[in-house]
Amino acid sequence: VDAVKVGMVSKIETINVIADKLEQYKPHNVVIDPVMISKSGFDLLKPEAKDALISRLIPLATVLTPNLPEAEVITGMKIDNLSSMKEAGEKIYAMGAKNVFVKGGHLSDDATDILFDGKNIITLPGKRFNTKNTHGTGCTISSAIAANLAKGLSVEEAVKEAKRYITVAIEHSFSIGKGVGPTNHFYELYKKAGEKYMSVLDRAKNFCKQVYLDVHKAFDVTMDFLTLGCHSKCAAAKAMKAFKNVEICQKKVDDLSK
């Protein structure tokens, strides 16, 4: 096995089984994302599970990828600047991880990360984007690191490429609904597809926009008829026609994408 990525594990039993199998099969690279705290600040692991993760999984990590709150739990220290991030990286390395990638997304300024391999501390500056759509960034970057290691990249190269990838995904993230939206994992693939794809996408978007306008226009007409005291049958027919366009919208988008 070229690489394994371990994400959130909430029970001691699960942690022990994973650790046992990693020790048994000895994959070439093990990336561990020590998911402990939710984006909203809630603990995701019981205290005893945290202890098991620290004692059993950290020593098996080729790369450990804590964010600042997780690094604080692991080290028991306050981390709020680059200096304390470097200190935390050294402390976590002493716990057995071969490489420690401390993510600085929770810093108040730029999103600078650090990578410590036991000898050198590599600072990885990052641009911060004004967006709330960062759902899944930690899971994504740790998975990207594992994929890059499986492709044969060095740890430093794998981390740098993963950071570049997630930065692009955040920059072009989606706004969906009212909550925290997802990053755009496939932006670069779509871009590589060329102008033909972008043309299809633009046509699909324009079609959907027209349907939206047709629906609202139909409602406006309906209200006009009701206000004038006229029979609303004609207006209802216009509204039904607009809604029929909504039903075929998805099919039209699918056809355009072929």
Side-chain angles (χ1 to χ4, degrees):
V1 177
D2 292 316
V4 170
K5 179 248 174 156
V6 179
M8 178 180 168
V9 283
S10 59
K11 297 181 180 179
I12 292 180
E13 295 81 3
T14 305
I15 293 171
N16 286 332
V17 168
I18 291 172
D20 289 342
K21 293 305 176 182
L22 289 176
E23 291 171 345
Q24 178 183 349
Y25 292 107
K26 296 180 172 58
H28 296 304
N29 297 286
V30 179
V31 178
I32 295 179
D33 182 12
V35 182
M36 297 179 173
I37 302 172
S38 70
K39 193 174 295 293
S40 53
F42 291 100
D43 287 340
L44 299 174
L45 300 182
K46 294 181 179 179
E48 57 270 25
K50 292 178 184 177
D51 293 339
L53 187 151
I54 292 170
S55 64
R56 295 224 58 194
L57 289 184
I58 285 182
L60 299 175
T62 307
V63 183
L64 193 79
T65 66
N67 59 27
L68 297 193
E70 291 158 352
E72 288 181 340
V73 171
I74 294 171
T75 62
M77 59 179 285
K78 179 67 176 176
I79 307 171
D80 56 8
N81 54 46
L82 197 57
S83 177
S84 55
M85 286 174 65
K86 293 177 180 179
E87 183 182 351
E90 293 172 348
K91 284 190 174 183
I92 296 172
Y93 176 84
M95 297 177 184
K98 296 180 180 65
N99 297 271
V100 184
F101 177 53
V102 182
K103 299 171 293 186
H106 289 80
L107 292 174
S108 58
D109 47 13
D110 291 339
T112 299
D113 308 323
I114 65 105
L115 174 65
F116 181 58
D117 63 2
K119 295 181 179 179
N120 302 307
I121 293 179
I122 301 169
T123 302
L124 304 170
K127 183 178 179 181
R128 185 177 297 280
F129 299 100
N130 184 24
T131 178
K132 63 181 177 61
N133 303 319
T134 57
H135 183 74
T137 50
C139 298
T140 298
I141 196 168
S142 57
S143 296
I145 292 170
N148 291 332
L149 290 172
K151 291 166 62 178
L153 274 65
S154 68
V155 170
E156 181 178 344
E157 292 171 333
V159 170
K160 286 182 176 178
E161 174 59 21
K163 182 175 176 66
R164 185 202 63 78
Y165 167 69
I166 192 60
T167 299
V168 172
I170 294 172
E171 182 179 7
H172 300 280
S173 59
F174 295 107
S175 291
I176 300 176
K178 296 181 180 180
V180 176
T183 60
N184 191 344
H185 294 92
F186 303 113
Y187 174 80
E188 290 184 304
L189 291 178
Y190 294 156
K191 187 176 180 180
K192 287 179 181 179
E195 294 182 1
K196 180 179 179 181
Y197 168 80
M198 298 308 295
S199 175
V200 169
L201 184 62
D202 289 339
R203 288 161 61 197
K205 287 181 177 178
N206 289 336
F207 179 83
C208 294
K209 182 178 180 180
Q210 188 57 52
V211 169
Y212 176 84
L213 294 174
D214 286 347
V215 171
H216 280 267
K217 183 177 180 180
F219 275 118
D220 290 340
V221 172
T222 301
M223 293 306 297
D224 288 343
F225 273 100
L226 292 175
T227 301
L228 293 172
C230 297
H231 200 282
S232 62
K233 184 176 181 179
C234 179
K238 290 180 180 290
M240 288 300 294
K241 182 178 180 180
F243 280 114
K244 185 172 181 60
N245 284 337
V246 175
E247 294 175 2
I248 66 171
C249 181
Q250 185 60 52
K251 183 178 185 304
K252 184 70 172 178
V253 172
D254 292 341
D255 291 341
L256 287 169
S257 301
K258 291 179 180 178

